[in-house]
Amino acid sequence: MGGLAGGINGDVDPAANGFDPTVMLTDFDAGKVSTLPNGQTLREYTIIAGERLIEIAPGVTFPAWVYNGRVPGPTIRCTQGDRLRITFTNGTGHPHSIHFHGIHSPLMDGMTPVPSGGTFVYEFDAEPFGMHLYHCHTIPFRRHIHKGLYGAFIIDPPTPRPPAKELVMVMNAFDTNFDGENEFYAVNTVAFHYAKHPIQVKLGELVRIYLVNMTEFDPVNSFHLHAGMFNLYRTGTRLEPSDYTDIVTMGQGERHILEFSFKFPGQYMFHAHQSEFSELGWLGIFEASESGTAAAGFEQATVAGICDLTPQTGGMA
């Protein structure tokens, strides 16, 4: 690949890739819902581990391990106190599992690998409310996470949070030459996707981001919002914000809820505040307008501007 411009020119076809990062933003899996004899809500999910060659930038592929055909896996969503029943089938040639963050019996903690072709049912009550995650917990841990076996896990409080435009963002990265260092960084897998396809929001609309860091091989990642500030709910386990800021730095497995709104129309960049990560794909745009729809010519101008800011030579494999 001939430098960073190659990561900007062209686009990744969601249909060929099997998933669309724009759709992922608002794709919440509430499961199959029923009621147990005691009146408790039961939510049933099916998750299958597989292997898939995915495109993480135009012309750049990665041999991923996937939950339900995508990286990150489906965003599991429920309410505190629900009974969750997750049927996991390992459709790969390697042992895998699912480890859920939160409170549950150690028997449901995903420490026992499920062999190739095997099935295991994880069942537990959802607690506490907050922003959580799940991932494979089979040795070697970093390989199973880096290859793509992770996803967001949202437990809503019994009293719902205020209405908002809700978006799921999983920060991740990819070591395409398997030397233990990442060549591409992204939110929801595809480098620069939200620069090429800006996220549309309405002026004054409350935006709520469910943010998870699943970046392997780097000690921290971060989220910075330009020209605005957000309320930060650390781990989402409290209903009162813990900070009001424009940047948050997170280790792997950390996750928070961010809330903000835009006062002025226009283009708001968001990205990692590690410059290398931004230049290698972890950068996007919110577009705020009265209508919440894209303005003519906006996308092309934005991408051109980012190309002007980024180096044209580099050491990416």
Side-chain angles (χ1 to χ4, degrees):
M1 179 174 160
L4 192 59
I8 297 176
N9 298 329
D11 208 349
V12 172
D13 180 4
N17 217 24
F19 56 87
D20 185 341
T22 295
V23 173
M24 278 183 171
L25 287 170
T26 55
D27 184 11
F28 301 98
D29 189 346
K32 178 183 177 182
V33 182
S34 60
T35 303
L36 294 170
N38 65 358
Q40 185 180 19
T41 296
L42 171 66
R43 297 183 186 270
E44 298 179 88
Y45 304 83
T46 298
I47 295 182
I48 300 172
E51 301 179 23
R52 184 171 199 153
L53 190 67
I54 63 173
E55 193 172 7
I56 60 172
V60 181
T61 56
F62 181 80
W65 292 340
V66 294
Y67 285 136
N68 288 6
R70 47 177 274 183
V71 179
T75 297
I76 295 176
R77 190 163 192 178
C78 57
T79 300
Q80 180 174 286
D82 292 347
R83 172 61 60 91
L84 306 187
R85 185 177 294 157
I86 303 103
T87 300
F88 170 61
T89 299
N90 182 4
T92 78
H94 305 269
H96 294 302
S97 66
I98 306 180
H99 164 64
F100 293 89
H101 286 227
I103 300 172
H104 46 253
S105 165
L107 298 176
M108 296 291 122
D109 206 32
M111 296 299 99
T112 302
V114 177
S116 177
T119 295
F120 185 85
V121 178
Y122 299 95
E123 185 163 339
F124 54 90
D125 292 342
E127 60 175 326
F129 73 79
M131 179 68 237
H132 304 298
L133 68 148
Y134 64 92
H135 57 85
C136 184
H137 211 295
T138 300
I139 295 174
F141 302 138
R142 69 176 185 169
R143 183 184 185 208
H144 287 246
I145 290 176
H146 166 251
K147 289 272 282 182
L149 292 177
Y150 48 79
F153 174 33
I154 301 170
I155 302 178
D156 289 318
T159 300
R161 300 178 193 272
K165 182 181 182 71
E166 296 188 315
L167 308 170
V168 176
M169 294 189 180
V170 177
M171 301 188 294
N172 52 2
F174 298 91
D175 172 16
T176 55
N177 61 6
F178 298 96
D179 64 351
E181 295 184 5
N182 294 311
E183 282 71 53
F184 289 87
Y185 295 82
V187 170
N188 296 341
T189 299
V190 178
F192 293 113
H193 179 85
Y194 302 116
K196 299 177 184 182
H197 306 277
I199 300 170
Q200 304 300 313
V201 300
K202 293 182 180 180
L203 286 176
E205 177 182 36
L206 180 64
V207 178
R208 178 176 299 125
I209 296 179
Y210 296 96
L211 183 68
V212 183
N213 178 26
M214 287 308 301
T215 308
E216 192 59 83
F217 304 128
D218 291 284
V220 296
N221 203 332
S222 61
F223 179 103
H224 170 51
L225 177 65
H226 279 218
M229 303 281 281
F230 51 81
N231 281 312
L232 178 68
Y233 300 80
R234 292 190 177 275
T235 317
T237 50
R238 297 289 186 271
L239 297 178
E240 302 78 26
S242 55
D243 203 354
Y244 184 57
T245 182
D246 63 0
I247 186 170
V248 59
T249 301
M250 302 158 63
Q252 190 197 74
E254 280 196 82
R255 64 276 186 192
H256 306 307
I257 296 175
L258 285 52
E259 290 185 352
F260 57 90
S261 61
F262 293 119
K263 183 177 181 180
F264 306 104
Q267 309 165 13
Y268 294 80
M269 185 178 289
F270 65 96
H271 60 89
H273 218 283
Q274 291 90 336
S275 299
E276 178 188 16
F277 296 6
S278 296
E279 293 178 352
L280 296 177
W282 180 170
L283 184 151
I285 298 288
F286 291 106
E287 183 181 13
S289 64
E290 292 285 355
S291 65
T293 57
F298 168 74
E299 182 177 314
Q300 181 179 0
T302 298
V303 175
I306 293 171
C307 287
D308 291 341
L309 292 173
T310 52
Q312 299 304 301
T313 61
M316 292 189 294

